[in-house]
Structure formats: C-alpha cells, structure tokens
Amino acid sequence: TGELISCHFELTLPTMRHRYVSLRLRRSFSTKYSGRIVTETDNGRSFAVEVDSPKLQTDIRGHILPRRDLICKITRILQPSTSSPPPSADPFLDLSEYLQNLTLTLTPSEASEILKNLQNPNLALQFFRFCPSEIPKFRHDAFTYNRILLILSKTTLPNRFDLVRWILDEMEKSGVAGSISTVNILIGMFGGTGEGIGGAGELERCLGLVKKWGLRLNCYTYKCLLQAYLRSNDLSKATEVYGELRRRGYKLDIFAYNMLLDALAKDEKVDLAYKVFEDMRRKYCEPDEYTYTILVRMTGKIGRPDESLAFFQEMLSKGYSPNLIAYNTMIQVLAKNRMVDKTLYLFNKMVENDCRPNEFTYSLILNALVAEGHLGKLDEVVETSNKYMNKSIYAYLVRTLSKLGHADEAHRLFCNMWNFHDRGDRDAYISMLESLCNAGKITEALDLLSKIHEKGISTDTIMYNTVFSALGKSKQISHLQDLYEKMKQEGPSPDIFTFNILISSFGRAGRVDEAVKIFDELENSNSKADIISYNSLINCLGKNGDLDEAHMRFKEMREKGFSPDVVTYSTLIECFGKTDKVEMACRLFDEMLAEGCCPNIVTYNILLDCLEKCGRTAAAVDLYAKLKQQGLAPDSITYSILERLQSVRHRTGKVRRQNPITGWVVSPLR
C-alpha cells in the first residue's frame, strides 16, 4: 500500500550479540530503504552494518527500466475509476503528497508511460507541466517531449498549435534536442492543416530543427513531408521531395503513392504521373484498385479513353474487383466520349458482379443516352438493374427526366414505380406533377393528384398550386373551380399562393366576378392579401373594362399601407392608355417617379405606345430621352414604336432626315 513501516528487533547469532537495531522500510512502490545495525562480538569488539537503497534496474543497454507498479499507481491517482473516487478534489495535490512520502524521483521514461496512459489531453498537459515544477531533479527528455507532442497531434483542442509552439520553446530553453521522431510528429501536425498556423512557414521551421539538432531525414520523414506539401496543395514542393526521396533509394507506401498520383492527375501532370506509376512497380509497391481508378480518371479527363480502358482491364487482370467508384469513373469516361454501347456493356458487367449502382451511375448513363438520342434504351437499363431499382432510384430518374423535358419517359418510369412500390416518394410525385403540367397533360395531372393518397402521401398546397397554375394558364376554368371546391372540402387549406393563382387565373379568363369573390375569401381567411394579390386583382379589373374599380382598388391598396410597385403602375398606365385616358396615364407615370418607383423598359414601352397612338409625337420624344437618361436599353418593342413615330414624321415632312430620337433612318432590327 506504500505506507511507512518502522521496525525494532533483536538479532541473535552464535558469535555476536545484538545491541540495537533500528530499521525503517517502505513497502510496495518504495525503492528506498535505509537502516543501521550495530553489533558486537564476544571479545568486545563491535561493528556497524549500513543498509542502503538498491539501484534501479536497467536493461542490457543500460537504460533504466520503468517501475510498472509506480506507473499504475500514479495513473490511478490522476485518473481514478468511478468505483474508487479520489481522496480530494485535486488529484495533483494527492500526487504531490504521495511522491513526498516515498521520497523518490520519477524518471522521464516513467513519466512518458504515465502520459501515454492518461486519456484526457488536458490532464496529460497538466502532468507534463507538473513533473519539472514539483518533482525534484526531474528534467524532461526527448521521449517525454515526443509523447506530449504526439498526444496534442491527436486532439482537436483549439489552441493545440500554440501549445506545440510553447513546447518547442521549452525544449530550446532547457537545451533538449529532439529526435527525428519529433520532427515527424511536427510535420504531421503542421503539414496542410489549413487552420491559420503558418502553413509553409511551419514546415520550414520543422526542416530548420533537423539542421539545428543535427538529424538526418529518414524514409518516414520524407513521406510525412511529401504528404504535408500535397495537403497544402503545393505540388511543386511535393515533387521536389519525391525526387530527393528517389535519389536516396527510399520508397513510399501505397497510400502515399496514390496521394501523389491523385495530385498529379488533378493537375494534369500526365508524364510525371506515368513515371511515378512506373516507380511503384520498380519499388515493388503493387498498385491497388484506387491506383488504377486514379489513372482511369486522369486519362479519361485528357481524352484518352483507350488508355483508360487499358488501365481498367489491367486492374481486372490482376484480380481486383472494381468498387462503385471505379465503375463510375470508367462509365463516366465512356459516357463523356459518347461510347454508348461500351457504357451499357460495362453497366451490365457492374450489375452482374453485384456492384450496386447509385444515383450518379444512372445520371451518367441517362446523360449519355439523352446526348446520343438513345433514350429508348433506358428501359433496357432499368430491366438489367431491376434488382437494384428501389424507390429512390426511380424517384431520381423521374425528377431528372422531368427537368430535362422528357415528360413521356418520366411518366412511364413513374408508372413503374407506382406499380412496384407500396409507398411513394414525395419529391418524385411533385416532379411528376410539374412535368405533366408543363407538358400540358392536365388530365393526367388531375388523375395523379386524386390518387396520390393511395401511396401513403398526403396532398399539400404545393401540389394543388402546381395544378391550379396549369389549369389557369390553359383557361380550364370549370376544372379549376371543381378542384378548388374539393380542396376546401377535403384540405389542405389554401395559402396566399393559392389565392393569387386563382385571382390571376379567373382574371385571365375574363371571369371578373369570380376573381373578386376569391379576393374577398382571401381577406376573410387566415392569409392576408399582399401586393401580388392586389396587382392580380387590379390587372383583372382594368383589362376587363372596369377601370374605375381598378383605380379604387389601387387607392385601397395604398390606404392599407402597401406601396405600389412597377407592376402596379405599369398595369394601370396600360389600362388608362388603352381607354384613351392619356392624361391619367401620364399623371400616374409622374406619380410613379415622385414616389421613387423606377419604371422599367416595359413601363416606358407602354407609355410610348400610348403617346404614339394618340399622335403626341413630341411627348414621345421627351419620354424616350428620359428612358436614355435612366440608362435603360431599348428593346425590339421600343424600336418598333420609334419606327412608327419616324414614319409619321416622314409623312408630314418634305425631306427625309435622320431620326433625332434613334439616329436611325430605318429600324436597326430590320
């Protein structure tokens, strides 16, 4: 248990008589024994026997062997188990007391072992600082410094790099020279971390320590340095290190070779990549599937598909089973070079070898088929990989085909998904709805919306709004009304987008009363009208002849705190202009400018057209000048209006002159 023991005893020998014995022993972790025995013989002569501390055991090289029982005891003091809590709140106070009672000095090798056993890096750092400050004659050596550096290299402490710099400063102050292992640890820490630690500057400091401490780089150091430069994206330095490594006859492991090959391939250093690949073979480092995948990607990227195939075949001949990344890389090369037949052949082999394709695989094949006009072969692809065609793959293909505008193929795949899977994919169903609506297949969209609950998916406002928008654009008002009534009865509740779509749709079809009714429903619902709602209603009223009501809604909109935007003003200006109320249109335009709402080219075109039709040529010229001052670029409609103005001026004038507005005698668009 390590407690102090005092003993007094008598010793009887045939030729001597015991006079006094005092012996003090320390048990367990103690290595220090002290004592003095004084004896006298029968002839009266006496002598003393001194009991001294035994020397620490050493190995055959003369190195002191760590005391395992002492290491375990100190580790338990600093890091007690839950079953045996520490005697005090400060474990280092307990440790100081324990070491004082033993009156021994901890060796650096023992301290290194204790650091290794401590699981908490902060605790290890505290113990590292404790040793030289609290233990007499203790001095850290290269091994303890390496141990704490290694611990810090494996942590995620935010200040670990500052701690490392502090440790290096302490080494310099105490005159301790590190070993090549110290340098290797530092290079591994500082190399390419990208965390604001100085990057290349820190690596140069590491190399400076090699020279300062009189060390020689070994193979592992070169490998660490090479990987550090690669992580720092410094390919030039990395190739220099690799050249030095080759000159010294060293070789890398497969991971380092692949890392270098990958960097060279990404930088399109093809010739150098081939040399590194040959070095691998000469150095008896067998390439693996990752090596070949890198080479396949590199040669495919530079347009050498035949070489890519050769590397892929070589990988197969060596008995490697390509993984998903290898198959995808080779398929990508073939697809990029429009080798559709070979792409499909390799895909079939992939499935035969039980390598599951992912979404990226199908995207490569799909893009190749679309690019070459062979989309009909997609059914063959689906049939070949039928055992892997799960819901997510179907959903991905449906979404992708829908986005590419292939509604028929998307719908066919969607039907397969519907037939083979009990539950559906919400995103796929929304994509299918959008695709059908964009393709004008409103009947199919309505049918899908009505049956979507059969696959465990509840309809939402996004789905309804998608169909509402399509019905409004095609002016199928009866279906629009029926679907809206169904939505109100069965849910979900309409949102602001629903109301705005309905107002716009009824207005487009000239159903003013229904549009006003929907707007009133919006006002009485949880959703409140916004500026888009008012713009839709004003547009509906104005373009269907009820200009006074449109103007009233415009005033109501402002009273409720909405600021009219360029769409609001442009709509009203157009409505007043078409009803020959030019003065009102011009007044609204001036009001628009006064309110700080900048007209766009559409607004100018509307008012220019209005002025041209009523014969106010001078006002049109002034308006065009404002347009140019605002920095707007005239479009084809602008030039068409200006051409009409120019024709009027030519009919009234005796001499044909260059137009003062555009500078063109004939429209530049002719």
Side-chain angles (χ1 to χ4, degrees), residues 74 78 92 95 99 106 110-112 114-115 118 122-132 135 140:
I74 293 177
L78 295 177
F92 288 96
L95 179 59
L99 294 175
L106 203 65
E110 290 166 343
S112 178
I114 294 168
L115 286 169
L118 297 177
N122 286 316
L123 187 63
L125 194 62
Q126 283 182 275
F127 178 69
F128 180 83
R129 290 168 169 166
F130 170 88
C131 290
I135 300 176
H140 284 299

PDB file of all heavy atoms in Angstrom, residues 74 78 92 95 99 106 110-112 114-115 118 122-132 135 140:
ATOM      1  N   ILE A  74       0.355   5.976  -9.981  1.00  0.00           N
ATOM      2  CA  ILE A  74       0.223   7.399 -10.310  1.00  0.00           C
ATOM      3  C   ILE A  74      -0.913   7.617 -11.311  1.00  0.00           C
ATOM      4  O   ILE A  74      -1.666   8.594 -11.216  1.00  0.00           O
ATOM      5  CB  ILE A  74       1.554   7.947 -10.849  1.00  0.00           C
ATOM      6  CG1 ILE A  74       2.616   7.931  -9.733  1.00  0.00           C
ATOM      7  CG2 ILE A  74       1.396   9.356 -11.407  1.00  0.00           C
ATOM      8  CD1 ILE A  74       3.992   8.377 -10.174  1.00  0.00           C
ATOM      9  N   LEU A  78      -4.221  10.106 -10.725  1.00  0.00           N
ATOM     10  CA  LEU A  78      -4.622  11.188 -11.627  1.00  0.00           C
ATOM     11  C   LEU A  78      -5.926  10.891 -12.355  1.00  0.00           C
ATOM     12  O   LEU A  78      -6.680  11.798 -12.688  1.00  0.00           O
ATOM     13  CB  LEU A  78      -3.518  11.441 -12.659  1.00  0.00           C
ATOM     14  CG  LEU A  78      -2.186  11.958 -12.123  1.00  0.00           C
ATOM     15  CD1 LEU A  78      -1.178  12.093 -13.248  1.00  0.00           C
ATOM     16  CD2 LEU A  78      -2.375  13.297 -11.419  1.00  0.00           C
ATOM     17  N   PHE A  92      -3.654  16.299  -8.369  1.00  0.00           N
ATOM     18  CA  PHE A  92      -2.234  16.624  -8.331  1.00  0.00           C
ATOM     19  C   PHE A  92      -1.764  16.909  -6.901  1.00  0.00           C
ATOM     20  O   PHE A  92      -0.587  16.721  -6.578  1.00  0.00           O
ATOM     21  CB  PHE A  92      -1.946  17.816  -9.246  1.00  0.00           C
ATOM     22  CG  PHE A  92      -2.027  17.467 -10.699  1.00  0.00           C
ATOM     23  CD1 PHE A  92      -3.187  17.688 -11.418  1.00  0.00           C
ATOM     24  CD2 PHE A  92      -0.953  16.878 -11.342  1.00  0.00           C
ATOM     25  CE1 PHE A  92      -3.269  17.356 -12.754  1.00  0.00           C
ATOM     26  CE2 PHE A  92      -1.021  16.540 -12.680  1.00  0.00           C
ATOM     27  CZ  PHE A  92      -2.183  16.774 -13.390  1.00  0.00           C
ATOM     28  N   LEU A  95      -1.126  13.517  -5.650  1.00  0.00           N
ATOM     29  CA  LEU A  95       0.107  13.002  -6.230  1.00  0.00           C
ATOM     30  C   LEU A  95       1.331  13.595  -5.537  1.00  0.00           C
ATOM     31  O   LEU A  95       2.305  12.871  -5.256  1.00  0.00           O
ATOM     32  CB  LEU A  95       0.131  13.318  -7.732  1.00  0.00           C
ATOM     33  CG  LEU A  95       1.377  12.867  -8.496  1.00  0.00           C
ATOM     34  CD1 LEU A  95       1.575  11.361  -8.391  1.00  0.00           C
ATOM     35  CD2 LEU A  95       1.277  13.287  -9.967  1.00  0.00           C
ATOM     36  N   LEU A  99       4.181  11.336  -3.626  1.00  0.00           N
ATOM     37  CA  LEU A  99       5.592  11.325  -4.003  1.00  0.00           C
ATOM     38  C   LEU A  99       6.490  11.802  -2.858  1.00  0.00           C
ATOM     39  O   LEU A  99       7.619  11.323  -2.699  1.00  0.00           O
ATOM     40  CB  LEU A  99       5.802  12.198  -5.239  1.00  0.00           C
ATOM     41  CG  LEU A  99       5.144  11.695  -6.541  1.00  0.00           C
ATOM     42  CD1 LEU A  99       5.322  12.715  -7.659  1.00  0.00           C
ATOM     43  CD2 LEU A  99       5.730  10.355  -6.956  1.00  0.00           C
ATOM     44  N   LEU A 106      10.874  10.528 -10.030  1.00  0.00           N
ATOM     45  CA  LEU A 106      10.305   9.872 -11.194  1.00  0.00           C
ATOM     46  C   LEU A 106      11.263  10.011 -12.367  1.00  0.00           C
ATOM     47  O   LEU A 106      11.846  11.070 -12.583  1.00  0.00           O
ATOM     48  CB  LEU A 106       8.967  10.532 -11.533  1.00  0.00           C
ATOM     49  CG  LEU A 106       7.948   9.730 -12.329  1.00  0.00           C
ATOM     50  CD1 LEU A 106       7.467   8.539 -11.521  1.00  0.00           C
ATOM     51  CD2 LEU A 106       6.768  10.617 -12.697  1.00  0.00           C
ATOM     52  N   GLU A 110       9.387   6.832 -17.097  1.00  0.00           N
ATOM     53  CA  GLU A 110       8.165   6.550 -16.348  1.00  0.00           C
ATOM     54  C   GLU A 110       7.117   7.641 -16.575  1.00  0.00           C
ATOM     55  O   GLU A 110       5.919   7.354 -16.725  1.00  0.00           O
ATOM     56  CB  GLU A 110       8.495   6.422 -14.864  1.00  0.00           C
ATOM     57  CG  GLU A 110       9.294   5.171 -14.550  1.00  0.00           C
ATOM     58  CD  GLU A 110       9.923   5.199 -13.156  1.00  0.00           C
ATOM     59  OE1 GLU A 110      10.002   6.294 -12.576  1.00  0.00           O
ATOM     60  OE2 GLU A 110      10.337   4.133 -12.682  1.00  0.00           O
ATOM     61  N   ALA A 111       7.559   8.889 -16.631  1.00  0.00           N
ATOM     62  CA  ALA A 111       6.639   9.986 -16.918  1.00  0.00           C
ATOM     63  C   ALA A 111       6.022   9.833 -18.306  1.00  0.00           C
ATOM     64  O   ALA A 111       4.833  10.105 -18.512  1.00  0.00           O
ATOM     65  CB  ALA A 111       7.366  11.326 -16.811  1.00  0.00           C
ATOM     66  N   SER A 112       6.818   9.367 -19.251  1.00  0.00           N
ATOM     67  CA  SER A 112       6.314   9.150 -20.602  1.00  0.00           C
ATOM     68  C   SER A 112       5.234   8.076 -20.618  1.00  0.00           C
ATOM     69  O   SER A 112       4.207   8.212 -21.302  1.00  0.00           O
ATOM     70  CB  SER A 112       7.464   8.762 -21.531  1.00  0.00           C
ATOM     71  OG  SER A 112       7.000   8.494 -22.830  1.00  0.00           O
ATOM     72  N   ILE A 114       3.279   7.280 -18.127  1.00  0.00           N
ATOM     73  CA  ILE A 114       2.090   7.830 -17.455  1.00  0.00           C
ATOM     74  C   ILE A 114       1.322   8.730 -18.416  1.00  0.00           C
ATOM     75  O   ILE A 114       0.092   8.685 -18.494  1.00  0.00           O
ATOM     76  CB  ILE A 114       2.502   8.595 -16.185  1.00  0.00           C
ATOM     77  CG1 ILE A 114       3.098   7.624 -15.156  1.00  0.00           C
ATOM     78  CG2 ILE A 114       1.306   9.329 -15.578  1.00  0.00           C
ATOM     79  CD1 ILE A 114       3.791   8.299 -13.997  1.00  0.00           C
ATOM     80  N   LEU A 115       2.044   9.578 -19.172  1.00  0.00           N
ATOM     81  CA  LEU A 115       1.397  10.423 -20.170  1.00  0.00           C
ATOM     82  C   LEU A 115       0.629   9.579 -21.182  1.00  0.00           C
ATOM     83  O   LEU A 115      -0.482   9.928 -21.597  1.00  0.00           O
ATOM     84  CB  LEU A 115       2.442  11.274 -20.902  1.00  0.00           C
ATOM     85  CG  LEU A 115       3.041  12.452 -20.132  1.00  0.00           C
ATOM     86  CD1 LEU A 115       4.234  13.018 -20.899  1.00  0.00           C
ATOM     87  CD2 LEU A 115       1.998  13.538 -19.919  1.00  0.00           C
ATOM     88  N   LEU A 118      -2.771   8.415 -19.721  1.00  0.00           N
ATOM     89  CA  LEU A 118      -3.813   9.405 -19.437  1.00  0.00           C
ATOM     90  C   LEU A 118      -4.659   9.652 -20.684  1.00  0.00           C
ATOM     91  O   LEU A 118      -4.140   9.968 -21.747  1.00  0.00           O
ATOM     92  CB  LEU A 118      -3.174  10.718 -18.960  1.00  0.00           C
ATOM     93  CG  LEU A 118      -2.389  10.622 -17.643  1.00  0.00           C
ATOM     94  CD1 LEU A 118      -1.735  11.956 -17.321  1.00  0.00           C
ATOM     95  CD2 LEU A 118      -3.288  10.172 -16.509  1.00  0.00           C
ATOM     96  N   ASN A 122      -5.927  17.361 -21.716  1.00  0.00           N
ATOM     97  CA  ASN A 122      -5.688  18.461 -20.772  1.00  0.00           C
ATOM     98  C   ASN A 122      -5.011  17.958 -19.508  1.00  0.00           C
ATOM     99  O   ASN A 122      -4.124  18.613 -18.954  1.00  0.00           O
ATOM    100  CB  ASN A 122      -7.007  19.147 -20.424  1.00  0.00           C
ATOM    101  CG  ASN A 122      -7.520  20.019 -21.565  1.00  0.00           C
ATOM    102  OD1 ASN A 122      -6.756  20.745 -22.179  1.00  0.00           O
ATOM    103  ND2 ASN A 122      -8.806  19.927 -21.851  1.00  0.00           N
ATOM    104  N   LEU A 123      -5.438  16.783 -19.051  1.00  0.00           N
ATOM    105  CA  LEU A 123      -4.821  16.179 -17.868  1.00  0.00           C
ATOM    106  C   LEU A 123      -3.373  15.816 -18.154  1.00  0.00           C
ATOM    107  O   LEU A 123      -2.481  16.012 -17.311  1.00  0.00           O
ATOM    108  CB  LEU A 123      -5.624  14.944 -17.461  1.00  0.00           C
ATOM    109  CG  LEU A 123      -5.226  14.266 -16.153  1.00  0.00           C
ATOM    110  CD1 LEU A 123      -5.432  15.198 -14.967  1.00  0.00           C
ATOM    111  CD2 LEU A 123      -6.048  12.989 -15.950  1.00  0.00           C
ATOM    112  N   ALA A 124      -3.122  15.277 -19.353  1.00  0.00           N
ATOM    113  CA  ALA A 124      -1.753  14.928 -19.732  1.00  0.00           C
ATOM    114  C   ALA A 124      -0.872  16.173 -19.761  1.00  0.00           C
ATOM    115  O   ALA A 124       0.284  16.146 -19.315  1.00  0.00           O
ATOM    116  CB  ALA A 124      -1.758  14.246 -21.096  1.00  0.00           C
ATOM    117  N   LEU A 125      -1.404  17.277 -20.263  1.00  0.00           N
ATOM    118  CA  LEU A 125      -0.642  18.524 -20.322  1.00  0.00           C
ATOM    119  C   LEU A 125      -0.343  19.049 -18.920  1.00  0.00           C
ATOM    120  O   LEU A 125       0.755  19.547 -18.652  1.00  0.00           O
ATOM    121  CB  LEU A 125      -1.415  19.549 -21.133  1.00  0.00           C
ATOM    122  CG  LEU A 125      -0.661  20.800 -21.582  1.00  0.00           C
ATOM    123  CD1 LEU A 125       0.499  20.440 -22.490  1.00  0.00           C
ATOM    124  CD2 LEU A 125      -1.600  21.761 -22.290  1.00  0.00           C
ATOM    125  N   GLN A 126      -1.305  18.920 -18.010  1.00  0.00           N
ATOM    126  CA  GLN A 126      -1.081  19.333 -16.626  1.00  0.00           C
ATOM    127  C   GLN A 126       0.021  18.500 -15.974  1.00  0.00           C
ATOM    128  O   GLN A 126       0.884  19.030 -15.266  1.00  0.00           O
ATOM    129  CB  GLN A 126      -2.376  19.189 -15.823  1.00  0.00           C
ATOM    130  CG  GLN A 126      -3.394  20.299 -16.071  1.00  0.00           C
ATOM    131  CD  GLN A 126      -4.626  20.119 -15.209  1.00  0.00           C
ATOM    132  OE1 GLN A 126      -5.549  19.400 -15.570  1.00  0.00           O
ATOM    133  NE2 GLN A 126      -4.626  20.743 -14.048  1.00  0.00           N
ATOM    134  N   PHE A 127      -0.020  17.194 -16.219  1.00  0.00           N
ATOM    135  CA  PHE A 127       1.008  16.325 -15.644  1.00  0.00           C
ATOM    136  C   PHE A 127       2.376  16.644 -16.240  1.00  0.00           C
ATOM    137  O   PHE A 127       3.404  16.618 -15.533  1.00  0.00           O
ATOM    138  CB  PHE A 127       0.648  14.860 -15.887  1.00  0.00           C
ATOM    139  CG  PHE A 127       1.676  13.894 -15.374  1.00  0.00           C
ATOM    140  CD1 PHE A 127       1.875  13.724 -14.005  1.00  0.00           C
ATOM    141  CD2 PHE A 127       2.467  13.170 -16.255  1.00  0.00           C
ATOM    142  CE1 PHE A 127       2.845  12.840 -13.528  1.00  0.00           C
ATOM    143  CE2 PHE A 127       3.430  12.291 -15.788  1.00  0.00           C
ATOM    144  CZ  PHE A 127       3.616  12.127 -14.420  1.00  0.00           C
ATOM    145  N   PHE A 128       2.404  16.959 -17.535  1.00  0.00           N
ATOM    146  CA  PHE A 128       3.662  17.307 -18.191  1.00  0.00           C
ATOM    147  C   PHE A 128       4.283  18.536 -17.529  1.00  0.00           C
ATOM    148  O   PHE A 128       5.502  18.597 -17.326  1.00  0.00           O
ATOM    149  CB  PHE A 128       3.402  17.562 -19.679  1.00  0.00           C
ATOM    150  CG  PHE A 128       4.622  17.923 -20.459  1.00  0.00           C
ATOM    151  CD1 PHE A 128       5.478  16.939 -20.945  1.00  0.00           C
ATOM    152  CD2 PHE A 128       4.929  19.255 -20.724  1.00  0.00           C
ATOM    153  CE1 PHE A 128       6.604  17.278 -21.669  1.00  0.00           C
ATOM    154  CE2 PHE A 128       6.055  19.598 -21.447  1.00  0.00           C
ATOM    155  CZ  PHE A 128       6.895  18.605 -21.920  1.00  0.00           C
ATOM    156  N   ARG A 129       3.447  19.516 -17.182  1.00  0.00           N
ATOM    157  CA  ARG A 129       3.951  20.714 -16.520  1.00  0.00           C
ATOM    158  C   ARG A 129       4.268  20.465 -15.051  1.00  0.00           C
ATOM    159  O   ARG A 129       5.143  21.129 -14.467  1.00  0.00           O
ATOM    160  CB  ARG A 129       2.914  21.828 -16.638  1.00  0.00           C
ATOM    161  CG  ARG A 129       2.756  22.387 -18.052  1.00  0.00           C
ATOM    162  CD  ARG A 129       1.540  23.269 -18.182  1.00  0.00           C
ATOM    163  NE  ARG A 129       1.510  24.016 -19.429  1.00  0.00           N
ATOM    164  CZ  ARG A 129       0.459  24.641 -19.912  1.00  0.00           C
ATOM    165  NH1 ARG A 129      -0.678  24.608 -19.233  1.00  0.00           N
ATOM    166  NH2 ARG A 129       0.509  25.300 -21.058  1.00  0.00           N
ATOM    167  N   PHE A 130       3.556  19.523 -14.446  1.00  0.00           N
ATOM    168  CA  PHE A 130       3.738  19.219 -13.033  1.00  0.00           C
ATOM    169  C   PHE A 130       5.125  18.643 -12.756  1.00  0.00           C
ATOM    170  O   PHE A 130       5.768  18.990 -11.753  1.00  0.00           O
ATOM    171  CB  PHE A 130       2.642  18.233 -12.595  1.00  0.00           C
ATOM    172  CG  PHE A 130       2.829  17.652 -11.230  1.00  0.00           C
ATOM    173  CD1 PHE A 130       2.327  18.298 -10.100  1.00  0.00           C
ATOM    174  CD2 PHE A 130       3.503  16.452 -11.057  1.00  0.00           C
ATOM    175  CE1 PHE A 130       2.490  17.755  -8.845  1.00  0.00           C
ATOM    176  CE2 PHE A 130       3.670  15.899  -9.799  1.00  0.00           C
ATOM    177  CZ  PHE A 130       3.161  16.550  -8.687  1.00  0.00           C
ATOM    178  N   CYS A 131       5.571  17.760 -13.643  1.00  0.00           N
ATOM    179  CA  CYS A 131       6.796  17.000 -13.361  1.00  0.00           C
ATOM    180  C   CYS A 131       8.010  17.882 -13.073  1.00  0.00           C
ATOM    181  O   CYS A 131       8.639  17.750 -12.011  1.00  0.00           O
ATOM    182  CB  CYS A 131       7.083  16.034 -14.511  1.00  0.00           C
ATOM    183  SG  CYS A 131       5.911  14.672 -14.601  1.00  0.00           S
ATOM    184  N   PRO A 132       8.398  18.807 -13.966  1.00  0.00           N
ATOM    185  CA  PRO A 132       9.609  19.592 -13.667  1.00  0.00           C
ATOM    186  C   PRO A 132       9.413  20.621 -12.548  1.00  0.00           C
ATOM    187  O   PRO A 132      10.394  21.036 -11.915  1.00  0.00           O
ATOM    188  CB  PRO A 132       9.911  20.285 -14.999  1.00  0.00           C
ATOM    189  CG  PRO A 132       8.610  20.347 -15.697  1.00  0.00           C
ATOM    190  CD  PRO A 132       7.854  19.145 -15.287  1.00  0.00           C
ATOM    191  N   ILE A 135       8.572  17.869  -8.980  1.00  0.00           N
ATOM    192  CA  ILE A 135       9.414  16.710  -8.665  1.00  0.00           C
ATOM    193  C   ILE A 135      10.869  17.161  -8.679  1.00  0.00           C
ATOM    194  O   ILE A 135      11.361  17.648  -9.709  1.00  0.00           O
ATOM    195  CB  ILE A 135       9.196  15.574  -9.679  1.00  0.00           C
ATOM    196  CG1 ILE A 135       7.734  15.133  -9.660  1.00  0.00           C
ATOM    197  CG2 ILE A 135      10.108  14.392  -9.380  1.00  0.00           C
ATOM    198  CD1 ILE A 135       7.399  14.076 -10.695  1.00  0.00           C
ATOM    199  N   HIS A 140      12.651  16.920 -18.275  1.00  0.00           N
ATOM    200  CA  HIS A 140      12.107  16.254 -19.463  1.00  0.00           C
ATOM    201  C   HIS A 140      13.212  15.946 -20.452  1.00  0.00           C
ATOM    202  O   HIS A 140      14.179  16.704 -20.603  1.00  0.00           O
ATOM    203  CB  HIS A 140      11.063  17.147 -20.150  1.00  0.00           C
ATOM    204  CG  HIS A 140       9.743  17.186 -19.450  1.00  0.00           C
ATOM    205  ND1 HIS A 140       8.976  16.054 -19.258  1.00  0.00           N
ATOM    206  CD2 HIS A 140       9.044  18.215 -18.905  1.00  0.00           C
ATOM    207  CE1 HIS A 140       7.866  16.386 -18.633  1.00  0.00           C
ATOM    208  NE2 HIS A 140       7.888  17.693 -18.392  1.00  0.00           N
TER     209      HIS A 140
END
